[in-house]
Amino acid sequence: TDSHLRHVDSMALLPSGAGAIQHLNAVILGEALASEENDLVFPSPGFSSQALISSPEKYGEMYRRSIEDPAGFWSDIASEFYWKQKWGEQVCSENFDVRKGPVSIEWFKGGVTNICYNCLDRNIEAGFGDKVAMYWEGNEPGFDDKLTYNELLDKVCQLANYLISVGVKKGDAVVIYLPMLMELPIAMLACSRIGAVHSVVFAGFSAESIAQRITDCKPKVVITCNAVKRGAKVIKLKEIVDAALTECAQNGCPVDVCLTYDNKLAMDRESTVWKDGRDIWWQDVVPKFPTKCEVEWVDAEDPLFLLYTSGSTGKPKGVLHTTGGYMVYTATTFKYAFDYKQSDIYWCTADCGWITGHSYVTYGPMLNAASVLIFEGAPTYPDSGRCWDIVDKYKVSIFYTAPTLVRSLMRDGDQYVKRYSRKSLRVLGSVGEPINPSAWRWFYNVVGDSRCPISDTWWQTETGGFLITPLPGAWPQKPGSATYPFFGVQPAIVDEKGNEIEGECSGYLCIKRSWPGAFRTLYGDHERYETTYFKAFPGYYFSGDGCSRDKDGYYWLTGRVDDVINVSGHRIGTAEVESALVSHPQCAEAAVVGVEHEVKGQGIYAFVTLVEGVPYSEELRKSLVAVVRSQIGAFAAPDKIHWAPGLPKTRSGKIMRRILRKIASRQYDELGDTSTLAEPQVVQQLIDLADV
Ligand code: 6R9
């Protein structure tokens, strides 16, 4: 039997426990303040009674079916979407076990559909044509826009027709490098409409990073804009793309077309760098195309998009998601984890350059015909009250963000929050990294006025959608815990040897069976897919995260256990930063570790040794930081450069990161055994130079 099923059964008893009754009473008496002593935070009876999943029993029933009969469970849900042709006999076929052959995952194979059709045409047919699909709030307060589902479909079709006209066909890659304009989801949907595979590159990545991704997936077309304003700063995106395209052309990977949106609010056309024959203004061509475009029907297992993410080696991985399973999974997780109702106004602060913006700005919400807010700007511009100003302006009811923003707003003070009513808020969400209990409580008590459940959703680029998440209204929350697995998800905590551990325990978080939204491969490198995710613990998908499970069966994510750092919810491979640093002509060697950071969660701490004879200086420090900015992007810039005459290494030459982590966090009395070091004296040297 499944160990989680047993937890589910015992959870059904939770609200009758003595402590629980006390909490329940507190809720009823209106004293439901989450405090240090209360480790269970109950949804109010009013919330639960209207919730889609209103009790642990209801969850237990659905969860049980999803595990015992996954094919039946997911087919029923999939049938709510439009399929040109239904999938074959087998709803799911999978091999998770490398020992039995190549890893493969297929859902709804043989089914023919289109995700853009399901996001737009299907919803319009169901009567949502005049409903607002997207609200857009610009960087400057007072600049806004919106599109109904009808209008959005027109725009998507025009762009789709343009892409067809320049030769983009089913299966071709299109790279999108855009800020949070409505044109970004429009571009994603236009690609999926014609069966093209989009690869969105976060508009904070450097030219080198774009070039690396272009070289990997070889798009015919790149879509970008001239510039964007973020806060008070203008960022000239086209210049960055231009540098990337020049490099790609030199390396034998030319791009034919660079479609450039003219973002008039940030920059004028005349000063935009331009290459005739390759570059073309979006506004000059796209609006001339018809507003009707036939969809390209694709197999459920045809690729939908590529999204590059960091791993423990230098080269980013192209995570590949396919169409059918991803569609069913993102729509379903969105609906239940946020207790979605047609009257909701939904705002997710993530950028479409990351997976959260794919699954929970674009596809998940639009598959549910939701009204989605897209925000171009910085959340603290012009001041720290901007988010709540926006919440009140649009009557946002579901607000989904990252712990790093919660912590930074918390530090700025309650007065910015209290200035606004926020009474439209109903459900809050958190993603990207573990949310520490004190930030959770501030989010709950101050932002949500102790009324709104928080969905702390644990998932990854690879998983496509939520795997462990609260279902608000179903059960009490514990600040800092992502609570319970979503339908169909079987988590397993394993020890170093790969043995599953039962009950209250901690270890490595794995998943036992596939779920529809799982990624199918790493683009062009299935072997790396198997090695990274399926070989560490054969028979399981290994997430790379540490985790513990408490006596009530709640899951607590504890962070990455590999060489990936999580900075403000962005995954950064230590190896990527190291290789950028050592490309600096005066840097001999670099070792990067993560350190605790008050706002960002983790900060980047880099130890560097210099080329013989080069003196360390403030100027050199700056140029080391600059090299990381230019090779990866500003968000990966090290917080600290620690000059090191030598690095602690084993006799076989391996850098002892364990020791570096302790030095970085100034825990000098916890260095542990240093006797195996080739040169033990370097440790003291490093300590002496810590604050130089
Ligand atoms: C969606 C996303 C994935 C990594 C993941 C984990 C961390 C994300 C979390 C969380 C604790 C949560 N993570 N959500 N840790 N609680 N609710 O962020 O994808 O960028 O691929 O990062 O983020 O460490 O492994 P991605």
Side-chain angles (χ1 to χ4, degrees), residues 309 354-356 400 430-435 456-462 468 482 543-545 557-560 566 569-571:
T309 187
W354 308 108
I355 189 67
T356 307
Y400 185 36
S430 172
V431 61
E433 51 168 322
I435 178 161
D456 174 5
T457 59
W458 176 79
W459 61 297
Q460 310 175 294
T461 305
E462 293 86 342
I468 301 183
S543 66
D545 278 351
L557 278 301
T558 52
R560 303 288 306 190
N566 191 326
H570 301 155
R571 269 164 75 168

Side-chain angles (χ1 to χ4, degrees), residues 565-568 572 574 592-606 635-640 664:
I565 346 188
N566 191 326
V567 182
S568 300
I572 297 166
T574 52
V592 168
V593 298
V595 286
E596 215 176 287
H597 187 287
E598 201 194 331
V599 172
K600 301 187 206 173
Q602 278 190 302
I604 301 181
Y605 195 113
F635 65 93
D639 297 278
K640 166 84 184 174

Side-chain angles (χ1 to χ4, degrees), residues 305 307 321 326 351-361 459-462 464-465:
F305 67 82
L307 185 59
H321 282 284
Y326 177 85
D351 191 289
C352 287
W354 308 108
I355 189 67
T356 307
H358 283 62
S359 303
Y360 302 107
V361 173
W459 61 297
Q460 310 175 294
T461 305
E462 293 86 342

Side-chain angles (χ1 to χ4, degrees), residues 177-182 184 203 224-225 227-228 237 263 351 376:
Y177 186 74
L178 281 171
M180 288 297 274
L181 301 173
M182 291 197 284
L184 176 44
T224 188
C225 75
V228 65
L237 298 177
N263 191 14
D351 191 289
E376 179 192 34

Side-chain angles (χ1 to χ4, degrees), residues 604-624:
I604 301 181
Y605 195 113
F607 293 89
V608 296
T609 65
L610 303 178
V611 168
E612 196 64 47
V614 172
Y616 187 63
S617 64
E618 173 58 15
E619 208 178 313
L620 181 56
R621 186 193 68 78
K622 282 191 184 145
S623 74
L624 286 165

